[in-house]
Amino acid sequence: MSWSVVARKDFEDALRSRMLWGIIGLFAVLMAVSALVPDLLDVADPVAGYGIAADLAETLVPVTALVAAYLAIAGERESGSIKILLGAPHSRLDVTIGKLVGRAGVVVVGIVAGFLVAGVVTLVVYGELAPSEFVSVTLLTAALGVAFVGIAVGISAATATRSRAMALAIGLFFVFALLWDLVPLGITYLRTGSLPTPGATVPAWQMLIQHLNPSVAFGQLVDAALGGGPPGGAGGPGGGTGGGGGAAALTGQVSGPVPFYLEDWFMFVILGAWTVVPVALGYLRFRDADL
Amino acid sequence: MGVIETEGLTKRFGDVRAVEELDLTVEAGEVFGFLGPNGAGKSTTIDMLLDFVRPTAGTARVLGYDAQESPTEIHQRVGILPEGYGLYDRLSGRKHVEFMVDSKDASDDPGRILELVGLDGEDAERPVGGYSKGMAQRLVLGMALVGDPDLLILDEPSTGLDPNGAREVREIVRELADDGTTVFFSSHVLGQVEAVCDRVGIMQNGRLIAVDTIDGLRDSTGTGSSIELAVDSVPEGIETLVIEGVSSLTARDGTIRATCLEPEAKLAVIDRVRAEGATVRDIATSESSLEDLFTAYTTERGAESEEEVRA
C-alpha cells in the first residue's frame, strides 16, 4: 500500500498550509451565510438554504479543489522534492494515486467542515436541520470536490512547472464556469441557424454535452435530492440548478423520452469519470517524463 | 556482478549530449568517486540510475535490477542524496525521516538517525523551511541512511556544508563502507573524493575519460609528486637537464621545482643540482593532489578533443 504512505504524508503536509485553512474558513463562512438567506427573506425553510448553498458551492468548490490540488505533483517537480518522494520506493503510479487520495481527503474535510458550520447555523436559526437533505447536499458537494481534485491532479501530473499547471487550472475553471454555458447556445445555433427560443426542446445528446460539465451534473443531483430548484436559483441557460427535481425536470426540455444518460444515476458516472480520467491521462505523461 | 553496471548508457536532451556511451562498473563494497566539472554529466548519469531520467540508449543495472524496469525494487535497497532536491517546508525534520521509514517499511528509530547526522532534538521538531542548506543536506543524508541500504548514491554530498560538516560526511561514508555498504558519490570538490574513495571515475563532456585508483591515476598522468629545492644560486641551463624519472624541471627566484614520476627521482634531482655547483638550503616535497591530476586529465583531454574537432 505504497500509495497510502504518499497520501498520508500529503494530507499531513496540506493540513499545515495556512492558505488552505483560509480557503476552508471562507468556504465555511459562505456556506453559513447562504443557510441564512431564506431566513432573511422570511422563508422558514432550511432546505431552501441548502439549495442556495449548493448553488454557491457549484462555483466555489471547483476553485477550492483546483487551488488545493493543482500543485500536487507539478509543485514537487518544480521544487525538487519529487526526487525525495520518488527516491523512496514509490512508483510514479503510487505517487499519482497517493496525491489524488491525499488532496481529495483535504478537500472533503474542508467541505464537510464548511457544511457542519452551515448545519449549526441552520439548527440555531430554523430550529430544525432537515437531516436527509443536509447529508445529501454535503455528500454531493464532496463528490463535486473530488471530481475537481481529479481534474487538478491530472493537470498537475501532466505539467512540469507551477506556472503551466496554474495556467491550465485557471483555463479549465473558466471553461467550466463560463464557456460551458455558451456551448448549448452554439450547438443550437449550428443546428437551427438561430438562438434558442424559450420553451423549445433540444436533442438529448445536446443536453448530455451540457451535463458533461461536472458542475451541471452536480446541479441535477442536488435538484433531485432537494426535490426542486431553489427559489431564485440562477442556473445557466436551460440547465444547472435552475431546473426542477433532477432528471424528471428534463422531460419537456429534451425532444423525446429522457435517455439513460440523462438519468440522475448517470450524473454520478460523469462525476466519477472526471475523478478518474484526467488523473489517468496525466499519469501517462508523468510516467514517461524526465524529472 | 557489479552493484552498478551501465552499458552504452546515453542521454541526449535535444541536441545536447549529456551522457555518451557510458560503460561503468562499480563493485560491491567499494567507495567510488564520480568526478568531473559541473555539467559533465554526473547528475544525469545518477538520474538515470534512479529512473528520474530515461536513457536515450543503453542500459543501467543497479543491484542486479534494470533501472528502468524495477525502480521501486532498487529504491527499496538504495539510499539517495539527490542533486537539486527540495524538501517539504511545512514538515519537520523528524516527519521527513518518519516518511522514509514508513516508505521503506524499515524499523529505524528516526531520533537515532537524526542524531547520527548531527541534527539535535530541537532542530528535528522544527519545520524544515527554516533549515540552512547544511542542515537540509544532513537531513537528506539521514533519510538516505534509513533501512540500512546496500548502496548509497550521494550526488555532491558536501554542497552547503562547512569543512567540519564535510568531514563528518566523509566519516559517515567511511563507516558505512567499513560495514560493507557500497558508496557511489559524485563531486567536483576533489579533496572530498581523494580522502575516502577506493576508485574514481572522471567524467568530462558526457564521457567517462578515466577510471582508476587514485594511485593508478597518479601513475598514468605523470603528475606524481614534486620536489622544491631552495638554492643559493640557480645553475646555468638547469632547466634543460634530462634526469631519469623527472617529467619537468623549472627554476625561478632561487627555487628549483621538479615533478617526479617516481620517488627515487627526487634524490637524483638533489644529486644533479649539487653536482651543478649549487648549495641546497632547503627541501620541500609534496604528493600531487587530485586537483593536479584532475587538471592534467581534463585539460589534456580537452585539448585532444579540440584537435579531433579540427581534424
Side-chain angles (χ1 to χ4, degrees):
Chain A
M1 299 291 268
S2 179
W3 61 264
S4 66
V5 177
V6 177
R8 201 175 66 221
K9 182 207 62 72
D10 201 52
F11 186 77
E12 284 183 22
D13 189 22
L15 285 189
R16 286 173 167 77
S17 159
R18 285 206 197 98
M19 186 183 72
L20 200 71
W21 281 106
I23 294 172
I24 288 173
L26 183 67
F27 182 75
V29 168
L30 290 172
M31 289 298 103
V33 169
S34 33
L36 280 174
V37 169
D39 184 60
L40 297 174
L41 299 172
D42 284 330
V43 182
D45 180 8
V47 175
Y50 300 150
I52 293 170
D55 243 15
L56 197 60
E58 205 176 298
T59 319
L60 211 53
V61 166
V63 181
T64 310
L66 287 169
V67 168
Y70 81 102
L71 285 178
I73 293 171
E76 293 220 21
R77 281 177 75 175
E78 183 151 315
S79 79
S81 56
I82 196 83
K83 289 188 170 182
I84 300 289
L85 190 57
L86 284 173
H90 304 298
S91 69
R92 296 192 190 192
L93 183 61
D94 291 329
V95 166
T96 310
I97 295 174
K99 287 289 184 182
L100 175 65
V101 174
R103 299 293 160 115
V106 170
V107 167
V108 167
V109 165
I111 287 171
V112 169
F115 271 95
L116 284 179
V117 172
V120 170
V121 170
T122 301
L123 207 53
V124 169
V125 173
Y126 303 96
E128 56 166 333
L129 190 63
S132 83
E133 284 85 354
F134 175 74
V135 171
S136 301
V137 172
T138 305
L139 292 181
L140 289 172
T141 307
L144 178 67
V146 171
F148 271 95
V149 168
I151 292 166
V153 171
I155 290 171
S156 205
T159 47
T161 63
R162 167 188 283 263
S163 54
R164 269 186 232 167
M166 188 186 289
L168 270 177
I170 292 173
L172 272 179
F173 173 73
F174 280 111
V175 166
F176 286 131
L178 299 174
L179 289 182
W180 209 278
D181 285 347
L182 301 177
V183 170
L185 292 180
I187 294 176
T188 303
Y189 186 78
L190 288 176
R191 219 164 28 84
T192 64
S194 62
L195 290 173
T197 44
T201 60
V202 299
W205 60 264
Q206 180 177 333
M207 195 60 92
L208 172 65
I209 289 175
Q210 212 170 317
H211 280 72
L212 288 180
N213 183 334
S215 293
V216 176
F218 164 77
Q220 177 170 330
L221 287 167
V222 168
D223 290 351
L226 300 184
T241 52
L250 294 175
T251 318
Q253 286 191 49
V254 296
S255 21
V258 175
F260 75 92
Y261 54 74
L262 291 176
E263 301 262 355
D264 294 336
W265 65 267
F266 199 79
M267 299 301 116
F268 284 112
V269 175
I270 291 172
L271 288 181
W274 280 113
T275 308
V276 175
V277 174
V279 175
L281 295 177
Y283 164 69
L284 292 179
R285 271 190 70 112
F286 180 45
R287 185 190 61 186
D288 299 331
D290 283 340
L291 303 177
Chain B
M1 188 195 68
V3 167
I4 295 174
E5 286 179 338
T6 73
E7 276 175 35
L9 194 64
T10 299
K11 180 65 185 182
R12 298 195 189 94
F13 295 105
D15 290 340
V16 180
R17 295 162 174 235
V19 176
E20 280 281 295
E21 296 280 328
L22 179 68
D23 297 314
L24 176 68
T25 302
V26 176
E27 302 293 342
E30 73 176 331
V31 178
F32 190 94
F34 199 42
L35 288 176
N38 289 325
K42 305 187 300 290
S43 290
T44 303
T45 302
I46 289 175
D47 283 348
M48 285 191 281
L49 297 178
L50 299 174
D51 193 41
F52 294 159
V53 163
R54 274 46 182 280
T56 309
T59 58
R61 297 183 74 77
V62 179
L63 296 164
Y65 295 102
D66 184 280
Q68 269 61 55
E69 279 166 21
S70 312
T72 51
E73 284 82 353
I74 291 171
H75 294 167
Q76 179 64 37
R77 293 172 56 197
V78 175
I80 302 164
L81 192 161
E83 179 258 351
Y85 62 82
L87 294 169
Y88 301 100
D89 286 352
R90 293 186 293 258
L91 297 180
S92 68
R94 174 180 292 275
K95 278 275 175 214
H96 278 77
V97 177
E98 282 172 0
F99 169 67
M100 199 52 81
V101 170
D102 291 345
S103 295
K104 288 195 162 178
D105 206 9
S107 55
D108 294 273
D109 167 17
R112 207 192 67 80
I113 294 264
L114 288 159
E115 206 174 292
L116 187 69
V117 294
L119 288 173
D120 64 33
E122 202 179 305
D123 288 335
E125 305 306 327
R126 277 205 288 148
V128 303
Y131 278 19
S132 67
K133 177 73 183 144
M135 289 168 72
Q137 198 76 353
R138 287 163 187 267
L139 172 62
V140 177
L141 180 63
M143 292 167 75
L145 302 180
V146 167
D148 190 21
D150 298 331
L151 167 65
L152 265 186
I153 296 183
L154 311 175
D155 201 349
E156 300 277 359
S158 318
T159 309
L161 295 178
D162 55 26
N164 200 33
R167 186 178 49 76
E168 284 171 25
V169 169
R170 285 201 296 276
E171 278 167 14
I172 291 172
V173 165
R174 200 70 262 177
E175 272 173 37
L176 287 162
D178 290 345
D179 291 344
T181 308
T182 309
V183 182
F184 181 85
F185 83 93
S186 79
S187 184
H188 68 282
V189 185
L190 304 152
Q192 299 287 333
V193 173
E194 195 169 14
V196 290
C197 289
D198 300 316
R199 285 201 305 154
V200 297
I202 299 178
M203 288 285 281
Q204 194 188 14
N205 294 331
R207 290 183 180 276
L208 188 65
I209 56 173
V211 181
D212 209 334
T213 60
I214 287 171
D215 287 346
L217 280 181
R218 280 208 177 96
D219 290 347
S220 66
T221 49
T223 54
S225 50
S226 64
I227 181 168
E228 277 183 19
L229 305 177
V231 292
D232 57 347
S233 66
V234 177
E236 283 284 307
I238 188 86
E239 296 186 39
T240 59
L241 283 179
V242 177
I243 305 171
E244 204 188 328
V246 174
S247 61
S248 78
L249 196 65
T250 57
R252 231 176 94 195
D253 301 337
T255 302
I256 299 170
R257 189 184 149 94
T259 305
C260 306
L261 301 178
E262 51 216 43
E264 305 87 72
K266 288 176 194 160
L267 267 181
V269 171
I270 298 171
D271 289 346
R272 275 305 284 278
V273 168
R274 294 177 71 182
E276 294 290 321
T279 304
V280 177
R281 287 179 171 157
D282 197 5
I283 301 175
T285 65
S286 63
E287 290 296 302
S288 74
S289 72
L290 204 51
E291 197 88 41
D292 298 334
L293 290 178
F294 185 66
T295 310
Y297 245 99
T298 50
T299 51
E300 192 180 302
R301 286 294 175 134
E304 263 175 37
S305 56
E306 268 169 36
E307 276 162 27
E308 276 168 29
V309 170
R310 271 188 229 117

